[in-house]
Amino acid sequence: MKRIIKATATVGGMTMISRILGFVRDVIIARYFGASMGADAFFVAFKIPNFFRRLFAEGAFSQAFVPVLAEAKEKRGQQAVKHLVNAISFRLGGILLLLTAFGVFGSSLWMLVFAPGFLDEPEKFALASDMLSITFPYLMLISLVALSSAIMNTYNRFAVPAFTPVFLNLVLISFAVWVSPLLEVPVMALAWGVLVAGVVQLLFHLPFLYKLGLLPHPSRESDPGVGEVKRLMLPALFGVSVAQINLLIDTVLASFLVTGSVSWLYYSDRLMEFPLGVFGVALATVVLPGLSKKAANENWHGFQQDLDSALRLVLIIGLPATLGLLLLAQPLIVSLFHYGAFTDHDVAMSGASLMAYSFGLLGFILVKILAPAFYSRKDMKTPVKVAVVALVVNTVMNLILIGPFAHVGLAAATTISAFVNAGLLYWYLRKQQVFTPLAGWGKLALQVMLANTVLAAFLLWLSPALSEWLVFDVWQRIGWLAGLVFGAVVLYGLALMATGMNPVRVLKKTRG
C-alpha cells in the first residue's frame, strides 16, 4: 500500500505541475482567441491526433503491451525485455509513419469525419484542415513517447512520463504569446506549437531510456511477445475505440451547434480533466503495472488488496473532488478564462457544461481504476463488451439531450455513460470472483459522506454569487478561489479525523 500511495503521489504531483501549466496555457489561449472560429478550428485540429494517440498508443497498445512487458521482465529477464522492445518499436513505428502520412495529406478528409458541421462555414473548415496537416505528425511523436512511458512505468520510473506533458504546455504558451503576433493568421501558431512540442517531448525521454538500457533499436526480428501483444491488442483496440468513438460523436454533434460550442466543451472538459489527471490517471498509471506483476506471479491475494486500496482512495479523494468541481464550476471558469476575448456568455455556457461533466468525475475515475483489473489479467473481451454498452448509452443520450440542452446535453450524456461503464465493470469483477471488497467499507463510506456534507456546506455558505465573481479583478478572483479550495481541503481533512478516521491508517488496514 505504501508503494501505491508513494507512486500515486509522485505521478499526481508531476501531473499537477503539468495541469497547472495547462491551465496557464488555456487561460492564454482563451485570452488571445476566446471561443472564436479560430479557437474552434484549433481544438478540433488538436483533438484528431489526440484521438488516435489515445486509440493506438496510450490506449490499446499500452494496455496490451504493459502486461506482456511485465511478464517478460518477471520471467525472462532483461535481455528478453530488450529484444521485445526492439521488435515492438519497429512495428509500431512503421504503422505510425503510414498513419501520419495519411493524416497530413488527407487532412480535409479527416475533418469531414470529425467536424462535418464546419462545412457550413468554408473558412472555418479550410482553417481547421490546414491546422490538422501541421498537428497530425504529433501523433507519431507522442505515440513513441507513450511507448517509452510504458517501459518506464513497468520499471516503476513514474516521474518522467508524468512530467513530460509540461513541455507541451510550455511550448504552446510560448507560441501563443510570442509567435502568434508574427503570423498572418495568428491562431496557426498553436498548430506549429503542437508539432514542436512533440519533438521536445520525445527528445526528453531518450536519455532516460538509455540509462535503463532500453533505448529501442528497431528490429525486424520477431519475438514471442509480439504475437501476444497483437493478440491482446485487437480486442483492446476495439474496446478503446468505443470510448474514443464517444468523443468523436460529441465532436461531430458539437460542430453542428452554434460557434463556440466546441470551445465551451473544451474549456469545461479541461477543468474536469484536472482532478481526473492528477488523481485518476495517476492512480491508474501506478495500478496497471502492479496488478500485471501480481497477475503474472499469480499473487491473487495481493491483486485484490491493491485493487481494494485503489478503490478506497477513489472514495476518499474522488468524491470531494467531484463535489468541489460541481460547486465551484462557474468561479473556476471565471477565474481562469474570463479575460480578453472570453465573454460573460462564454462563462455561462462553459460553466453549465462543466457542471454536467463534474457529476461524472467519479465515474470517469472508477473506469480508470477498474479497467486495469481486466487488462492486467489479459482479459480484453470483458471491457470491450462493457464499452459497447456505454457507447450505445452515450449515443442515445446525446440524441435525446442535445435538442433541449445543446452542448450541455453532450456533456451530460458523457457523464451518464461513464457511470454505466464503471458500474458494469464492477459487476463483472464481482461476477468473475476476481474482486470482493475487504472489511470496513460501510464505516468508510459513512465517514466520507459526513465529511463531504461539511465540505459542501462550507462552499455554499462562503462562495460569492456569480455576479460578484464577474466584477472581481484577477487578484480578487485568485484570492477567493485559493481561499475556498484551501479551506475546503483543510476542513474536509479535519472532518474526516473528527469522524475517527485517519486516511493513511485506514488504507494500511487493507494489507490484512
Side-chain angles (χ1 to χ4, degrees):
M1 174 47 56
K2 288 182 179 180
R3 177 190 64 80
I4 292 179
I5 295 175
K6 182 178 178 181
T8 302
T10 298
V11 177
M14 294 295 182
T15 304
M16 180 172 287
I17 295 171
S18 172
R19 298 290 177 170
I20 290 172
L21 280 172
F23 283 140
V24 175
R25 177 194 85 191
D26 290 335
V27 166
I28 289 172
I29 292 175
R31 188 182 187 93
Y32 277 74
F33 306 106
S36 62
M37 177 189 73
D40 276 7
F42 169 70
F43 292 141
V44 173
F46 189 31
K47 181 172 287 187
I48 293 173
N50 275 319
F51 171 88
F52 287 107
R53 180 201 79 195
R54 290 169 180 163
L55 186 64
F56 290 111
E58 295 176 358
F61 174 75
S62 291
Q63 290 163 6
F65 180 55
V66 169
V68 175
L69 186 65
E71 186 175 36
K73 177 175 175 283
E74 292 297 312
K75 296 184 176 180
R76 296 196 286 140
Q78 182 75 357
Q79 201 58 39
V81 169
K82 291 174 70 173
H83 193 271
L84 174 61
V85 167
N86 292 340
I88 286 290
S89 62
F90 175 80
R91 288 153 180 82
L92 179 65
I95 293 170
L96 290 170
L97 191 61
L98 290 173
L99 186 58
T100 299
F102 185 47
V104 170
F105 296 107
S107 59
S108 296
L109 294 175
W110 287 117
M111 200 55 61
L112 279 173
V113 173
F114 279 80
F118 284 8
L119 282 172
D120 294 335
E121 301 177 66
E123 186 180 354
K124 183 192 287 190
F125 183 86
L127 178 60
S129 299
D130 289 343
M131 283 186 170
L132 181 58
S133 65
I134 298 170
T135 61
F136 212 100
Y138 181 74
L139 167 64
M140 181 172 66
L141 297 165
I142 202 63
S143 295
L144 294 174
V145 170
L147 168 64
S148 172
S149 298
I151 295 169
M152 283 191 270
N153 288 339
T154 302
Y155 281 79
N156 297 324
R157 306 293 198 273
F158 297 110
V160 170
F163 185 77
T164 302
V166 166
F167 293 105
L168 172 66
N169 297 322
L170 289 175
V171 172
L172 282 176
I173 289 168
S174 301
F175 272 63
V177 174
W178 290 294
V179 177
S180 65
L182 305 177
L183 301 182
E184 184 178 348
V185 182
V187 76
M188 290 292 290
L190 298 178
W192 287 109
V194 169
L195 179 59
V196 172
V199 174
V200 172
Q201 288 173 301
L202 181 58
L203 291 176
F204 174 65
H205 270 240
L206 298 183
F208 297 97
L209 283 177
Y210 180 80
K211 187 175 180 181
L212 273 177
L214 292 172
L215 187 65
H217 298 279
S219 170
R220 288 178 176 272
E221 291 185 34
S222 189
D223 183 279
V226 171
E228 184 73 354
V229 170
K230 287 180 180 177
R231 183 182 69 81
L232 296 173
M233 191 171 174
L234 186 59
L237 181 62
F238 186 75
V240 174
S241 68
V242 170
Q244 294 306 309
I245 288 169
N246 277 330
L247 298 176
L248 172 59
I249 292 171
D250 290 351
T251 303
V252 168
L253 292 175
S255 74
F256 288 100
L257 299 174
V258 298
T259 292
S261 297
V262 173
S263 297
W264 298 327
L265 285 170
Y266 171 82
Y267 291 122
S268 55
D269 177 65
R270 287 288 298 160
L271 280 166
M272 189 272 294
E273 287 281 344
F274 182 82
L276 180 60
V278 169
F279 174 64
V281 175
L283 184 55
T285 300
V286 172
V287 164
L288 178 56
L291 293 180
S292 297
K293 179 180 177 179
K294 289 178 172 61
N297 293 321
E298 298 186 2
N299 178 8
W300 301 115
H301 180 65
F303 183 99
Q304 181 160 268
Q305 283 185 322
D306 276 6
L307 187 55
D308 187 270
S309 300
L311 291 175
R312 288 173 189 254
L313 277 172
V314 170
L315 183 65
I316 293 170
I317 300 176
L319 192 57
T322 298
L323 197 57
L325 194 62
L326 173 66
L327 297 177
L328 294 177
Q330 290 182 321
L332 283 166
I333 294 288
V334 172
S335 300
L336 292 170
F337 303 130
H338 187 232
Y339 309 98
F342 203 87
T343 66
D344 289 2
H345 180 64
D346 295 328
V347 168
M349 296 297 99
S350 300
S353 53
L354 177 57
M355 292 177 74
Y357 275 135
S358 66
F359 280 107
L361 178 62
L362 199 60
F364 298 134
I365 296 175
L366 284 170
V367 171
K368 296 288 185 185
I369 304 308
L370 295 171
F374 295 92
Y375 302 136
S376 61
R377 296 180 295 115
K378 302 181 181 179
D379 175 5
M380 306 297 181
K381 293 181 180 179
T382 303
V384 169
K385 295 176 184 177
V386 171
V388 169
V389 175
L391 169 63
V392 173
V393 169
N394 185 69
T395 303
V396 171
M397 296 309 300
N398 270 333
L399 296 175
I400 292 173
L401 298 176
I402 191 173
F405 302 111
H407 72 291
V408 179
L410 299 180
T414 302
T415 286
I416 293 167
S417 69
F419 275 109
V420 170
N421 197 339
L424 288 174
L425 287 173
Y426 181 79
W427 183 78
Y428 274 110
L429 284 174
R430 296 297 304 273
K431 181 182 179 182
Q432 295 172 357
Q433 298 183 337
V434 173
F435 175 71
T436 302
L438 302 180
W441 271 95
K443 181 181 179 182
L444 177 66
L446 179 60
Q447 291 169 316
V448 170
M449 291 300 295
L450 289 172
N452 275 283
T453 301
V454 173
L455 181 149
F458 169 79
L459 292 178
L460 289 170
W461 179 44
L462 284 183
S463 182
L466 177 60
S467 58
E468 295 181 67
W469 283 99
L470 289 171
V471 298
F472 283 159
D473 62 33
V474 61
W475 295 112
Q476 287 176 306
R477 292 172 180 176
I478 292 173
W480 265 103
L481 189 61
L484 288 170
V485 171
F486 179 76
V489 170
V490 171
L491 191 61
Y492 177 70
L494 292 174
L496 283 179
M497 288 188 284
T499 65
M501 192 258 280
N502 182 318
V504 175
R505 188 182 306 138
V506 168
L507 291 169
K508 286 181 179 178
K509 287 181 181 180
T510 63
R511 295 185 67 86

